[in-house]
Amino acid sequence: MPSVSHSEVDSYLLCRRKHYYGYGLSLERVTTSQSLATGTAGHRVLEAFYRHLLELASTAEGQLERFDIALKRAEEEYDAIIAEGFEEPSNRAQLFDILFNHDWGYFANEFMVRNGWTIVAVEKEFSLVYDEESDSKYPFVVDLVVRDPKGDYVVIDHKFVYDFYTPAQTDLQPQIPKYIGALRALDYQIAYGAYNMLRTRKLKTPASDSMQYFMMLKPNPDRVLNTFMEQLGVAAEIQALKELSIEEQDKRAYRTANKMVCQSCSFREICATELMGGNTELMLRTEYKIRERRVIGAANEKENNE
């Protein structure tokens, strides 16, 4: 069954060679970059907090009353991450402070629950079948679905970023419009979306407004439709590519070879070695492993959001 996610489309459009390594060969580095490790750890803490809050109460009032209980669960998750070997970065703000600082940290200034929003779903998996004949699917996972004080449903994506996105950047970024379009197609009445951004940059005088930014996005119907149709178009290209042999995929995996793309690419070394005709056998055995893919099932049961 063909299945192409937002992340795969993003990788393919960024660099076909990167897509080949990550999705054709299913490779990932044995070691994780510090920025990725911080983002992953931060997402785990936020998931633990909001999931526990939702387990404790289903109303805005009840969730606010139990905020401190869920906060203890978030602290426990952070402690577990440290016990697993996570190390705080030396060149970024400390994740503990980003989350738990009593003055400017995330939870001290949490925007949604503290302002009467209701957590409806946490880390929920969806799979939209957009072509029944080929059983083509768009699988995706949303960090949060919430209900604002007016009763509108909102899709939220957490981002741990060095600097906040600008409006000019989000005018083109496709993730939230894709989620809105797919959720509406699944009969979820999503009104708009938001990036819940936590800043990892080390500042001399951090403050709540310089470390957190809740950016609401209300794309018009054309923006949602056009963005989602581009997802489907690129997904069709990828599906056609996957029908070829791995040798033929290799031949068509052209390099972007752009400084901005290459400098942060986890496949930079193997890509350069192959380009120069070098032997990558040892590198593949010691520096890379087969990536375990998250299998997203048909978790399309509708929440009670009437």
Side-chain angles (χ1 to χ4, degrees):
M1 60 181 71
S3 177
V4 180
S5 67
H6 162 76
S7 297
E8 183 169 1
V9 165
D10 190 51
S11 175
Y12 180 79
L13 292 176
L14 191 66
C15 177
R16 293 192 181 188
R17 195 71 191 172
K18 179 178 181 179
H19 174 266
Y20 167 72
Y21 291 133
Y23 291 89
L25 299 180
S26 296
L27 297 177
E28 67 177 359
R29 291 198 73 94
V30 172
T31 58
T32 304
S33 69
Q34 186 62 65
S35 60
L36 180 58
T38 298
T40 300
H43 271 81
R44 277 182 55 181
V45 173
L46 295 183
E47 178 187 352
F49 171 79
Y50 287 113
R51 190 180 295 281
H52 193 52
L53 200 60
L54 182 58
E55 292 170 351
L56 293 171
S58 59
T59 66
E61 296 79 8
Q63 290 177 356
L64 182 58
E65 289 174 1
R66 293 162 178 80
F67 191 98
D68 289 342
I69 300 174
L71 182 57
K72 287 184 173 59
R73 176 67 189 89
E75 292 169 345
E76 292 170 358
E77 187 66 21
Y78 176 83
D79 290 341
I81 292 168
I82 293 296
E84 291 169 11
F86 172 76
E87 296 181 0
E88 290 279 11
S90 58
N91 61 343
R92 295 286 190 272
Q94 301 289 285
L95 179 61
F96 181 87
D97 289 332
I98 292 171
L99 295 167
F100 300 110
N101 184 279
H102 292 301
D103 294 322
W104 52 264
Y106 177 78
F107 290 114
N109 301 277
E110 194 270 349
F111 177 81
M112 290 171 285
V113 178
R114 292 187 182 277
N115 286 286
W117 296 47
T118 309
I119 307 304
V120 176
V122 180
E123 275 290 308
K124 188 166 179 61
E125 298 181 351
F126 299 91
S127 186
L128 172 65
V129 177
Y130 57 85
D131 186 336
E132 293 185 356
E133 184 175 344
S134 64
D135 198 28
S136 296
K137 297 181 179 181
Y138 171 53
F140 61 107
V141 181
V142 298
D143 292 334
L144 291 177
V145 176
V146 301
R147 185 169 58 246
D148 73 13
K150 294 181 179 180
D152 289 332
Y153 286 82
V154 188
V155 59
I156 307 295
D157 193 64
H158 304 311
K159 295 292 185 187
F160 285 78
V161 295
Y162 186 76
D163 281 323
F164 298 139
Y165 297 159
T166 66
Q169 290 171 326
T170 56
D171 280 346
L172 289 172
Q173 285 179 320
Q175 190 169 14
I176 290 293
K178 283 184 188 179
Y179 287 172
I180 293 173
L183 286 167
R184 287 176 179 172
L186 290 168
D187 291 330
Y188 286 79
Q189 302 304 309
I190 301 296
Y192 59 99
Y195 287 119
N196 184 32
M197 291 182 279
L198 291 78
R199 199 175 193 181
T200 61
R201 186 175 183 175
K202 184 184 290 187
L203 303 179
K204 290 183 178 179
T205 54
S208 60
D209 60 356
S210 64
M211 297 301 291
Q212 298 105 39
Y213 182 17
F214 191 79
M215 176 185 274
M216 299 184 196
L217 301 174
K218 299 183 179 182
N220 64 33
D222 285 341
R223 168 78 158 100
V224 172
L225 178 61
N226 291 336
T227 300
F228 197 73
M229 292 307 293
E230 286 190 358
Q231 162 76 28
L232 302 189
V234 179
E237 284 188 23
I238 293 172
Q239 289 168 3
L241 186 66
K242 289 179 177 178
E243 293 177 1
L244 303 176
S245 68
I246 197 66
E247 293 79 14
E248 190 62 31
Q249 290 182 46
D250 184 2
K251 293 177 183 178
R252 301 187 184 200
Y254 306 119
R255 294 168 172 83
T256 297
N258 174 276
K259 177 183 177 182
M260 296 299 294
V261 173
C262 296
Q263 68 183 2
S264 60
C265 181
S266 58
F267 303 112
R268 182 176 61 248
E269 290 82 3
I270 190 173
C271 181
T273 301
E274 285 189 338
L275 184 62
M276 293 183 287
N279 190 323
T280 61
E281 184 177 347
L282 180 61
M283 191 180 297
L284 285 169
R285 289 206 308 263
T286 59
E287 298 183 30
Y288 293 90
K289 62 181 180 180
I290 299 300
R291 178 166 57 92
E292 294 183 12
R293 295 189 180 184
R294 179 174 184 172
V295 179
I296 299 177
N300 296 332
E301 312 84 55
K302 191 175 177 182
E303 300 288 341
N304 183 20
N305 62 356
E306 301 298 333

